Amino acid sequence: MVTTDPKSLAARLDRPVQPRRSALMKDSRGYKVFRAVNVVVLLAVVVVTLYPFVNIVAQSFSSEDYISTGQVNLWPRGFNVDTYKLVVSDEAFWNSYFNTVLYTVTATAISIVLTTIYAYVLSKHHLKGRGLLVGIAVFTMFFNGGLIPNYVLINNLGMTNTIWAVVLPNAISVFNLLVMKSFFESLPKELEEAAAIDGLSSYGILLRIVLPLSKAVLATMILFYAVANWNSWFSAFLYLDRADMFPVTVYLRNLIYGATSATSVGAVETDSVHISANIKAVTMVLTVLPIVMVYPFIQRYFVSGVMLGAVKQ
């Protein structure tokens, strides 16, 4: 029979616990070099990425003389807010802004619904004709009808000068479709089988089981579609002839090609010549501002939403 001295046991309990050897191990020199190089490279990428945006913001608050002579770098020169006052006071700008919000919300909602349904169907390996459906989707990544046939099709469908000409032609992105398909394939099949045993239909399984587990990938797809639709301008420029239906990107395009001409459709009538040099920078800043404000709230889902479907068990 083994006995333990209470005093020695108390002494052992009071003694500080020695950390494991693995916790005492220091980083190797190679790993330290890797981390240092990694930090330097990432900082360089951040600088290269942020410099153009900061430069545009600085130009938007600068006067024409400093901009035309190339003296504006990262800080405004000849502080000027007249252009902001002019653009903000223009009714056409706010009408274009409203159109952009309407087009973006509508197109993103349609794209998410269609992409989710299509991706969920393609994730079912037992589906007959699945290979054909995948092939049709992938085929459109490499081939399309061309500009003139697309315009003739939209015109014959009677969608020119309507919101549908902007939101429907590019409703499904094949890249986003394949990402969401991979995510659905990574979900445990046992969950759907258990839900089916409990009496849920295919629609019930999708709405009550699959979608609640897909918040990360859905947020990522919403971000992708929203940014693409917000920045899109060519579809509106091609299919819309009415200035009151132009999105803000077409408004910006007209400013870029006619900043000093009041005859350009959607262009701002300049009250003074000195604001023409930074009017494009001002409109760029006002156009990108909503995306910059929304992105931080969604970006935390970005990596998880893209990567979850790429890891197989």
Side-chain angles (χ1 to χ4, degrees):
M1 183 175 181
V2 180
T3 58
T4 304
D5 186 1
K7 294 183 179 180
S8 61
L9 180 59
R12 290 171 57 186
L13 292 176
D14 292 338
R15 192 187 333 173
V17 178
Q18 295 295 330
R20 296 182 179 179
R21 183 170 179 79
S22 59
L24 296 174
M25 294 177 61
K26 296 182 178 180
D27 295 334
S28 63
R29 179 178 299 179
Y31 184 68
K32 292 181 179 179
V33 173
F34 168 77
R35 289 200 304 178
V37 172
N38 196 28
V39 170
V40 172
V41 171
L42 291 179
L43 288 176
V45 171
V46 170
V47 171
V48 172
T49 304
L50 288 180
Y51 175 78
F53 181 74
V54 176
N55 180 256
I56 288 294
V57 174
Q59 288 187 25
S60 68
F61 288 101
S62 301
S63 62
E64 181 197 12
D65 296 336
Y66 292 100
I67 298 175
S68 59
T69 56
Q71 300 183 42
V72 180
N73 195 5
L74 298 177
W75 194 257
R77 300 290 300 275
F79 191 78
N80 167 41
V81 293
D82 292 338
T83 311
Y84 275 100
K85 295 179 181 178
L86 180 68
V87 173
V88 170
S89 63
D90 183 48
E91 184 179 353
F93 172 77
W94 292 111
N95 182 67
S96 300
Y97 229 101
F98 173 79
N99 291 337
T100 299
V101 173
L102 177 63
Y103 298 159
T104 300
V105 173
T106 305
T108 302
I110 294 174
S111 298
I112 285 296
V113 172
L114 296 180
T115 303
T116 301
I117 295 174
Y118 200 173
Y120 184 69
V121 169
L122 295 182
S123 66
K124 304 306 175 185
H125 294 272
H126 61 274
L127 178 69
K128 294 182 179 180
R130 175 178 176 272
L132 177 62
L133 294 176
V134 174
I136 293 175
V138 175
F139 181 83
T140 60
M141 294 183 66
F142 306 100
F143 305 98
N144 61 71
L147 183 61
I148 295 178
N150 285 336
Y151 181 83
V152 172
L153 174 63
I154 297 299
N155 187 50
N156 289 339
L157 293 175
M159 293 194 301
T160 53
N161 287 320
T162 65
I163 185 177
W164 309 115
V166 179
V167 303
L168 287 182
N170 299 313
I172 296 181
S173 168
V174 180
F175 173 79
N176 295 344
L177 175 68
L178 297 178
V179 170
M180 187 170 284
K181 165 183 166 293
S182 299
F183 179 86
F184 287 152
E185 290 176 340
S186 68
L187 294 177
K189 297 180 181 179
E190 293 76 11
L191 291 176
E192 297 187 29
E193 293 174 355
I197 293 174
D198 290 339
L200 283 180
S201 63
S202 298
Y203 296 104
I205 293 174
L206 175 62
L207 296 176
R208 302 180 61 178
I209 303 299
V210 176
L211 292 185
L213 297 175
S214 307
K215 293 179 181 178
V217 72
L218 288 176
T220 303
M221 294 301 104
I222 290 174
L223 176 64
F224 283 172
Y225 279 121
V227 172
N229 289 315
W230 184 273
N231 293 328
S232 176
W233 70 274
F234 188 71
S235 295
F237 178 75
L238 183 64
Y239 301 126
L240 302 180
D241 297 328
R242 294 168 47 187
D244 61 330
M245 296 190 66
F246 285 165
V248 73
T249 47
V250 177
Y251 179 95
L252 174 60
R253 180 261 175 196
N254 292 332
L255 288 180
I256 292 176
Y257 287 95
T260 59
S261 176
T263 60
S264 294
V265 178
V268 174
E269 295 182 2
T270 54
D271 295 313
S272 55
V273 179
H274 77 279
I275 62 173
S276 62
N278 68 339
I279 193 170
K280 293 177 287 188
V282 168
T283 314
M284 289 179 185
V285 172
L286 294 176
T287 301
V288 77
L289 189 61
I291 294 296
V292 174
M293 295 174 63
V294 171
Y295 187 83
F297 298 98
I298 304 180
Q299 63 89 22
R300 64 192 183 99
Y301 297 104
F302 179 79
V303 175
S304 59
V306 174
M307 295 302 297
L308 279 176
V311 179
K312 301 297 183 182
Q313 294 181 353

